[in-house]
Amino acid sequence: MFLRLALAAFVAAAGHVVPPVATTANANVCGSPYRIDETLPDGARWRMCWEMRNVEGLTLNRVSYTPKGGAEVSVLRSAALAQIHVPYDSGEPRYHDIGSLGQMAIPLTGADCPGGERRTQLVCVTTRERGLGYLKDGYGDPAERRSRQARELVVLSAYQVGWYTYIAEWVFGDDGSITPRVGATGSLAGTVTSPGHGWPIGVGRKHFEESHSHNIFWRMDFDIQGSAHDVVEQYDFAGNGTGKRTMIRTPLTREAGAVNRPMRWWRVVDPRVLNSDHHPVSWQIDNSDSADYRGPADEAFTHADLYVTQYHACERLATMNAAPHCRTSVDRYAGHERVTDPVVWVNVGFHHVARDEDADPMPTHWQGFRVTPRDVSPRNPY
């Protein structure tokens, strides 16, 4: 179905499709066209650098956020796709679509980047409306009625991998939210299977297109005002089926994998970085929309929906990590080392059961997760 990517390309990972950005703490040090500095209409500001890596494709570095009227806060040292794992329902094939993704980046047209700017033809930087940021009726008092249309910064690239075109988007809201997501479009592969593993496509019931999963991993190296003191915490709420619920906070101080549960979420917090209400600044991670795929024992990397690991430069891909002298998959990175500089790996699954509407060209189906600021601002930042 796909053009598969040679692992040997990882050896050349030190090279980039475009020149690399600088790696100092201030995003302003990277030059044009690799610097992004966008102030949205409400006054919120996002700054970052981008590069197109041979292995991971679009990679964002030194991401910082400034709420309206507030102080700039660094959020991420780096963020990138870390794998697209595609197992088929019949058991074969089982693909890993990232290994030389940057080489598969396709030039974008003006129509692909409406109202925005194409950087080196491979990256689109644009803004768009995202709906009502809030609407307050004022309890029927017309003088108190208020609403605001929200806006977001979008940084995207696209890759042709066999029949599929993958669109990788990073969406930065004026409220401080971050939404990483991938859209799969292009064409169906035309893979024929039995009725038990697929869905009839086209005229009659002769062609059963095989169902498959897209298990997409993102790697996010959080740095809230620097790497020191960052902690990942898991939040659960006990009391399902009762009249009361109790919040349970579990610090993940050692490397671990975690699975989705109802009402479970995580946050990355620096307890020493406080807002003006003296509450610790953090970013909350929600992964409730995943199909929660679980593979066989030799795909243990699919057995968790979020991993927390200690930073190691060679740990770049969630699977098929071919860097010399480094482990090969994220489940093996999570070896219970003490975490002082956390990297968060988020695994979002989508089970693609084809339908007639997927006939060429296939509509984009999206999967991703949401990162929400928690106590970055002392009040509504709009």
Side-chain angles (χ1 to χ4, degrees):
M1 174 177 177
F2 302 107
L3 172 63
R4 296 303 147 184
L5 307 175
L7 291 179
F10 208 110
V11 177
H16 298 77
V17 176
V18 298
V21 298
T23 56
T24 61
N26 191 331
N28 267 343
V29 300
C30 58
S32 177
Y34 310 110
R35 181 178 65 251
I36 299 172
D37 188 341
E38 185 70 35
T39 299
L40 295 166
D42 79 315
R45 183 184 186 188
W46 285 98
R47 296 201 298 167
M48 66 198 73
C49 296
W50 70 269
E51 59 180 313
M52 185 65 72
R53 292 185 174 180
N54 284 340
V55 173
E56 301 98 326
L58 176 63
T59 301
L60 303 180
N61 299 302
R62 308 298 173 184
V63 179
S64 67
Y65 168 67
T66 307
K68 177 183 178 181
E72 185 174 33
V73 181
S74 66
V75 186
L76 295 163
R77 178 192 295 169
S78 67
L81 282 172
Q83 192 52 266
I84 302 175
H85 172 236
V86 189
Y88 278 67
D89 281 17
S90 65
E92 292 292 339
R94 313 183 78 78
Y95 295 128
H96 301 258
D97 279 343
I98 292 183
S100 56
L101 195 62
Q103 298 176 16
M104 305 299 163
I106 61 176
L108 302 173
T109 69
D112 304 326
C113 189
E117 181 183 1
R118 287 171 289 154
R119 308 286 184 90
T120 73
Q121 303 299 309
L122 298 178
V123 174
C124 169
V125 179
T126 190
T127 64
R128 65 191 180 199
E129 290 187 356
R130 63 181 185 91
L132 281 166
Y134 67 83
L135 191 158
K136 180 179 173 62
D137 179 62
Y139 305 99
D141 183 351
E144 293 294 322
R145 192 185 193 282
R146 293 181 291 165
S147 67
R148 187 176 189 91
Q149 289 291 328
R151 203 158 181 88
E152 59 194 13
L153 166 69
V154 183
V155 185
L156 70 87
S157 56
Y159 310 91
Q160 192 64 41
V161 185
W163 285 271
Y164 265 87
T165 305
Y166 290 115
I167 305 168
E169 274 195 356
W170 292 88
V171 182
F172 301 91
D174 50 12
D175 61 347
S177 62
I178 305 172
T179 307
R181 65 178 195 158
V182 167
T185 181
S187 302
L188 292 171
T191 305
V192 179
T193 189
S194 64
H197 299 304
W199 195 268
I201 299 297
V203 178
R205 299 180 64 85
K206 296 181 180 179
H207 179 108
F208 284 81
E209 184 79 22
E210 188 165 355
S211 304
H212 53 278
S213 292
H214 294 260
N215 304 314
I216 300 183
F217 292 77
W218 286 262
R219 178 187 182 277
M220 303 183 76
D221 181 5
F222 281 87
D223 274 3
I224 300 176
Q225 298 299 65
S227 60
H229 312 298
D230 287 354
V231 178
V232 181
E233 298 174 339
Q234 178 175 289
Y235 284 81
D236 293 283
F237 294 83
N240 191 27
T242 68
K244 295 182 180 181
R245 291 194 178 98
T246 303
M247 185 172 69
I248 302 171
R249 178 180 67 91
T250 306
L252 302 181
T253 57
R254 291 192 173 273
E255 295 177 315
V259 298
N260 288 326
R261 292 284 186 270
M263 293 189 293
R264 171 174 285 179
W265 47 269
W266 302 267
R267 74 166 180 165
V268 183
V269 59
D270 187 328
R272 300 191 184 189
V273 179
L274 308 178
N275 69 10
S276 61
D277 284 344
H278 304 289
H279 298 151
V281 166
S282 65
W283 263 265
Q284 176 178 327
I285 301 169
D286 294 283
N287 186 16
S288 59
D289 292 333
S290 175
D292 294 358
Y293 173 90
R294 301 291 183 256
D298 61 352
E299 292 177 349
F301 55 86
T302 65
H303 295 179
D305 305 296
L306 180 140
Y307 290 92
V308 178
T309 64
Q310 173 68 4
Y311 173 82
H312 291 289
C314 71
E315 294 174 355
R316 293 172 56 179
L317 294 185
T319 76
M320 300 296 180
N321 189 66
H325 313 297
C326 198
R327 295 183 177 91
T328 57
S329 59
V330 66
D331 56 300
R332 298 182 181 183
Y333 307 157
H336 306 292
E337 184 178 351
R338 185 168 176 268
V339 176
T340 59
D341 185 1
V343 176
V344 178
W345 308 73
V346 182
N347 169 21
V348 181
F350 173 81
H351 189 217
H352 186 189
V353 180
R355 54 194 180 130
D356 279 342
E357 287 86 351
D358 286 336
D360 216 57
M362 183 174 63
T364 306
H365 57 80
W366 293 96
Q367 61 196 97
F369 62 103
R370 187 169 175 82
V371 183
T372 307
R374 177 168 287 277
D375 306 323
V376 175
S377 300
R379 60 191 61 84
N380 186 337
Y382 290 115

